[in-house]
Amino acid sequence: MPTDSAQTIIFPFIDTTPIVQPIDTLKGFATIDFNLSNQTFDTACLRPSSSFFTPHALVPQHFGQQKPIAQLSPWISIVFIISLLFIALAKIVYGQRFTQILISPFSQKRFSQTEKDWASVVNPFKNLLLLNSVLMIGMFIMFFLDMAGYVEFLPNGDIRLYGFIIVSIALFFLFKSLILNFIGILISNIQFSRQLLLYFGLILSLMGLVLFPLLAFAIYGKEDNRIIFLTVSAIILVLFYVFQIFRWTKVALSSRGAFGIYFFSYLCTVEFLLPLILIKAYLMF
């Protein structure tokens, strides 16, 4: 056995490596903490890598940011609630005749029965469906102007513009009703005017009932489907309007001495010429 001095010369560096027994290795696993609830991670590493000098074109600038959800104006929901109340009250008022009223424009027998009931019943709530139609047609016009880029309706709609639109619609419908009554007085046939007004009110009520779910899905649904619901609504309105003109013309042809005045004094002026003048004036100003 060499001496200490000789061992230092032969082994200048003493081996200080600790001797690890197998039992020590097993004991070390008991001290590892697997609880990750209190640990924080740097999410910056989750961002897609880009160039050192310039950001990569495929890296979105809004990565990791949540897109804000646009909130609708409260008055839009209030309009739909009022419209739903009008429909519910109309169902209560009309009762079992509610379905008969809806299908009467498509059946002459149902229409004759509805005409008798409408004339005999004096009820201040029988025009609830017409009020609903005014609200829904005004909503449709606002939605259409928004999609066309003329006004901003969604999400923050202008309630003053909507109020102006529904008041204008109500006045225009009132003006048409007065003209139809005047034609009946002019040809001494009040029954003719009553039939035209009844067709006008029934088909207008159907427009409001159909527009309610379509506009609700368009406004509160996905933005990608809005143009689809708007297009379907516009097509349905045009079909109802054409059907109304067809019914009016059929009544005028069956009424003695009414077709000439109806066609030239009302149809060509109020229904065709007046809307064209209003649209022209709007585009000019």
Side-chain angles (χ1 to χ4, degrees), residues 35-258:
N35 185 14
L36 303 179
S37 59
N38 297 327
Q39 300 184 20
T40 58
F41 297 92
D42 187 9
T43 57
C45 61
L46 300 178
R47 180 182 175 90
S49 59
S50 59
S51 174
F52 180 81
F53 298 100
T54 57
H56 198 278
L58 297 179
V59 179
Q61 299 299 322
H62 59 277
F63 184 85
Q65 299 179 0
Q66 185 177 2
K67 183 179 179 180
I69 301 176
Q71 299 292 334
L72 294 175
S73 297
W75 69 265
I76 298 177
S77 300
I78 293 175
V79 169
F80 275 99
I81 294 175
I82 295 175
S83 180
L84 184 61
L85 289 177
F86 283 159
I87 297 174
L89 288 176
K91 181 65 174 65
I92 296 174
V93 170
Y94 296 132
Q96 297 180 353
R97 293 177 298 143
F98 187 79
T99 304
Q100 173 185 324
I101 291 173
L102 297 182
I103 65 176
S104 57
F106 309 99
S107 173
Q108 186 62 41
K109 180 180 178 180
R110 297 289 186 179
F111 179 80
S112 301
Q113 184 64 34
T114 302
E115 186 179 6
K116 296 177 183 179
D117 295 341
W118 197 272
S120 60
V121 176
V122 179
N123 194 324
F125 298 102
K126 67 181 182 181
N127 293 324
L128 288 171
L129 293 179
L130 296 180
L131 295 176
N132 168 68
S133 300
V134 171
L135 294 179
M136 291 296 100
I137 293 177
M139 191 72 68
F140 170 79
I141 294 176
M142 288 284 291
F143 195 19
F144 178 82
L145 293 177
D146 176 75
M147 298 301 292
Y150 291 102
V151 298
E152 183 180 354
F153 173 53
L154 298 176
N156 299 318
D158 188 357
I159 188 174
R160 293 175 297 180
L161 178 60
Y162 177 74
F164 173 78
I165 289 176
I166 61 175
V167 170
S168 301
I169 292 173
L171 293 177
F172 179 66
F173 289 161
L174 179 62
F175 172 74
K176 291 175 64 173
S177 301
L178 294 176
I179 295 297
L180 291 175
N181 278 318
F182 177 74
I183 292 176
I185 297 174
L186 189 63
I187 63 176
S188 301
N189 190 350
I190 303 299
Q191 185 67 19
F192 170 73
S193 296
R194 288 179 179 176
Q195 290 183 350
L196 294 187
L197 287 172
L198 184 56
Y199 272 120
F200 174 65
L202 292 175
I203 295 176
L204 190 61
S205 299
L206 286 174
M207 289 182 182
L209 290 175
V210 174
L211 283 177
F212 179 82
L214 290 176
L215 293 178
F217 282 121
I219 294 176
Y220 295 100
K222 296 181 180 180
E223 295 185 9
D224 299 336
N225 298 331
R226 285 178 177 175
I227 188 64
I228 299 176
F229 286 109
L230 181 64
T231 304
V232 173
S233 301
I235 293 175
I236 291 177
L237 288 181
V238 171
L239 291 177
F240 272 129
Y241 181 75
V242 172
F243 179 72
Q244 175 182 279
I245 298 299
F246 170 76
R247 284 297 188 183
W248 279 356
T249 305
K250 187 177 180 180
V251 173
L253 289 174
S254 61
S255 301
R256 186 177 180 180

